Amino acid sequence: MKKILLVVVVLLIHISVFGQGIPELPKQIFSANLGTGKSGTGDLYGLMVGFEYEQQFRPKLSWSTEFAMTIHDGEDLLLVQLDNFPREDMSYRFTTAGMQLAGKISYHAVRTKNADYGIKLGVAARYQSTSLADDREILFPVLTGYPLPVRILRNTEPQRTIAAVAITQLFARYTFRKNIVVGALAGLQLDTNGDVIFPQFSFSVGKRF
């Protein structure tokens, strides 16, 4: 009887000390994302900034919503120098910018007390405006008789568009003391307007609560 009682006491102590496991991390995260991406329309490199709220609803699953902004720019370089005149920069410069609101589902393939790795799939609504002409042509003086090159721009698509977006992202992050989260994202997105942002890389800083 004493042996049985001793075993029960030891078992209860073991459960009390070790059975609680590692305390769960807070299930909500608010983070800011900053990175770069290449827009498939014109192969333009630019910046991407986003603010994301995420909440875990299963041990391996969470949902999130993100408001993000992008800006890409480029130029068709054209430097002209006439006899006895300073060189002139007649380059054509253009910018594509947009904002989007996304909803995502995340699968956490690896989730420990500190490390977190997985994939995010989502959809978004995107507004975009661009000054990039759809067709660009330069006529040189030998053809026109004009002393300077003549640039012809043609626009066949609207300047402002609204599109549906598909998003795929791989993520990795680490939770430090005071529930500060630092991570990285890599992914792509494509929309119904035919625009692609790939590759995209960004760093994130946030807090669990």
Side-chain angles (χ1 to χ4, degrees):
M1 183 67 180
K2 290 182 180 180
K3 290 183 179 180
I4 295 174
L5 183 59
L6 181 61
V7 171
V8 172
V9 170
V10 171
L11 183 60
L12 290 174
I13 293 174
H14 178 80
I15 293 173
S16 177
V17 174
F18 299 102
Q20 295 176 2
I22 298 171
E24 266 193 52
L25 292 171
K27 296 183 178 182
Q28 300 178 78
I29 300 176
F30 182 79
S31 61
N33 307 317
L34 175 63
T36 183
K38 186 174 78 170
S39 174
T41 301
D43 293 333
L44 311 177
Y45 282 93
L47 295 176
M48 306 179 66
V49 179
F51 301 93
E52 186 169 9
Y53 169 79
E54 179 181 317
Q55 182 167 355
Q56 179 186 350
F57 65 93
R58 291 287 189 275
K60 292 280 189 177
L61 296 174
S62 63
W63 66 267
S64 63
T65 183
E66 180 187 32
F67 177 71
M69 295 160 284
T70 65
I71 183 166
H72 296 79
D73 61 80
E75 67 175 357
D76 289 340
L77 185 63
L78 180 58
L79 302 177
V80 178
Q81 186 167 10
L82 301 178
D83 294 339
N84 302 320
F85 287 93
R87 187 173 65 174
E88 295 187 61
D89 186 351
M90 301 184 67
S91 303
Y92 166 57
R93 298 187 174 98
F94 43 86
T95 300
T96 297
M99 61 178 63
Q100 62 192 49
L101 183 62
K104 308 175 193 176
I105 294 292
S106 302
Y107 173 72
H108 303 259
V110 175
R111 191 183 183 99
T112 67
K113 179 180 178 182
N114 299 105
D116 195 6
Y117 309 92
I119 185 171
K120 296 185 178 189
L121 301 176
V123 295
R126 177 175 175 83
Y127 168 82
Q128 180 172 287
S129 178
T130 181
S131 62
L132 177 62
D134 299 294
D135 186 24
R136 310 184 295 278
E137 184 178 357
I138 298 176
L139 302 179
F140 291 96
V142 67
L143 294 177
T144 64
Y146 187 72
L148 295 173
V150 175
R151 190 186 299 273
I152 298 175
L153 304 177
R154 299 184 182 90
N155 295 297
T156 57
E157 300 294 333
Q159 176 187 2
R160 303 179 185 90
T161 57
I162 297 177
V165 182
I167 299 171
T168 301
Q169 294 175 328
L170 299 175
F171 69 89
R173 59 196 179 200
Y174 191 88
T175 302
F176 294 89
R177 291 182 178 181
K178 298 184 179 179
N179 291 323
I180 300 299
V181 182
V182 176
L185 292 166
L188 69 88
Q189 70 175 52
L190 51 91
D191 65 36
T192 53
N193 194 45
D195 291 321
V196 178
I197 300 180
F198 176 80
Q200 54 179 239
F201 303 99
S202 62
F203 295 97
S204 65
V205 177
K207 183 170 176 64
R208 294 182 181 272
F209 59 96

